[in-house]
């Protein structure tokens, strides 16, 4: 009788498929995690409000302004041509002082606040600095009568949009 052990596998472990497959799973997970950490640090979330409690308290005031605009049947038509916005106010308003806020949907450094006086009847043209493309939220505040209208659109605007309370 001979005590010979039969060798079934002649390859060393590092030439096998399964050890490398098992090592690759946590390795790829670490690489993906480092990539996500890099993206999170580089692209900070600008939508988070530092003082969310104060913003929540101001919500009732904003709703009152919307209700006042609705009671006066105020709508605003907003059009964009030649690096300028044309605003036409329709409804029962004698307001002359306005503030137009253009908030980019995701990037706060593209936001614009434009204060102006209505000079030519119910319509006014406001020249703009360069404006980046993207989704914008428009808010027109009447500073004297305390009403506001809101709307959203992709910018640059191809067709006139209407802002409602």
């Amino acid at each position: 009788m001979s005590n010979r052990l039969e060798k079934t596998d002649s390859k060393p472990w590092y030439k096998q498929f399964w050890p490398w497959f098992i090592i690759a799973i946590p390795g790829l997970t670490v690489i993906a995690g480092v990539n996500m950490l890099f993206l999170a640090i580089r692209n900070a979330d600008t939508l988070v409000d530092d003082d969310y409690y104060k913003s929540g308290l101001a919500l009732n005031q904003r709703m009152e302004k919307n209700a006042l605009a609705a009671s006066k049947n105020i709508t605003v038509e907003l059009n964009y041509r030649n690096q300028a916005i044309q605003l036409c106010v329709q409804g029962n308003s004698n307001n002359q002082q306005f503030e137009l806020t253009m908030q980019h949907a995701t990037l706060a450094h593209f936001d614009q606040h434009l204060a102006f006086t209505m000079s030519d009847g119910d319509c006014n043209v406001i020249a703009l600095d360069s404006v980046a493309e993207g989704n914008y939220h428009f808010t027109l505040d009447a500073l004297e009568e305390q009403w506001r209208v809101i709307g959203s659109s992709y910018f640059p605007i191809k067709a006139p949009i209407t802002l409602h309370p």
Side-chain angles (χ1 to χ4, degrees):
M1 289 201 185
S2 83
N3 287 335
R4 289 180 32 181
L5 295 175
E6 289 188 32
K7 208 173 192 185
T8 58
D9 193 8
S10 61
K11 292 185 193 176
W13 73 269
Y14 53 87
K15 290 186 178 181
Q16 298 283 333
F17 168 75
W18 288 108
W20 290 112
F21 180 76
I22 292 171
I23 292 170
I25 292 173
L28 291 174
T29 304
V30 169
I31 291 169
V34 169
N35 187 28
M36 289 294 166
L37 179 65
F38 172 75
L39 289 174
I41 291 171
R42 191 170 141 234
N43 300 321
D45 187 8
T46 59
L47 299 177
V48 176
D49 191 1
D50 289 336
D51 195 0
Y52 61 89
Y53 181 73
K54 189 182 278 186
S55 297
L57 291 176
L59 182 64
N60 289 335
Q61 293 173 347
R62 290 193 301 267
M63 290 173 62
E64 289 172 5
K65 287 183 174 186
N66 290 352
L68 182 59
S71 70
K72 293 183 175 221
N73 296 323
I74 295 173
T75 59
V76 176
E77 187 175 282
L78 190 140
N79 200 358
Y80 175 73
R81 280 190 211 129
N82 302 329
Q83 294 292 85
I85 286 184
Q86 178 185 20
L87 291 165
C88 293
V89 178
Q90 294 135 7
N92 302 326
S93 176
N94 296 323
N95 197 70
Q96 295 296 316
Q97 301 289 324
F98 293 96
E99 181 180 24
L100 177 66
T101 303
M102 297 174 54
Q103 289 182 303
H104 193 275
T106 57
L107 303 171
H109 62 275
F110 288 135
D111 293 355
Q112 291 193 26
H113 302 278
L114 308 164
F116 64 95
T117 302
M118 195 65 83
S119 59
D120 190 20
D122 291 338
C123 293
N124 200 19
V125 176
I126 307 161
L128 290 178
D129 296 333
S130 62
V131 179
E133 285 188 21
N135 287 323
Y136 279 86
H137 303 289
F138 299 97
T139 305
L140 182 67
D141 284 300
L143 302 178
E144 296 165 354
E145 294 180 349
Q146 298 297 312
W147 54 260
R148 79 175 197 150
V149 289
I150 55 175
S152 297
S153 179
Y154 188 84
F155 201 84
I157 301 167
K158 304 286 187 224
I161 65 166
T162 303
L163 306 181
H164 297 282

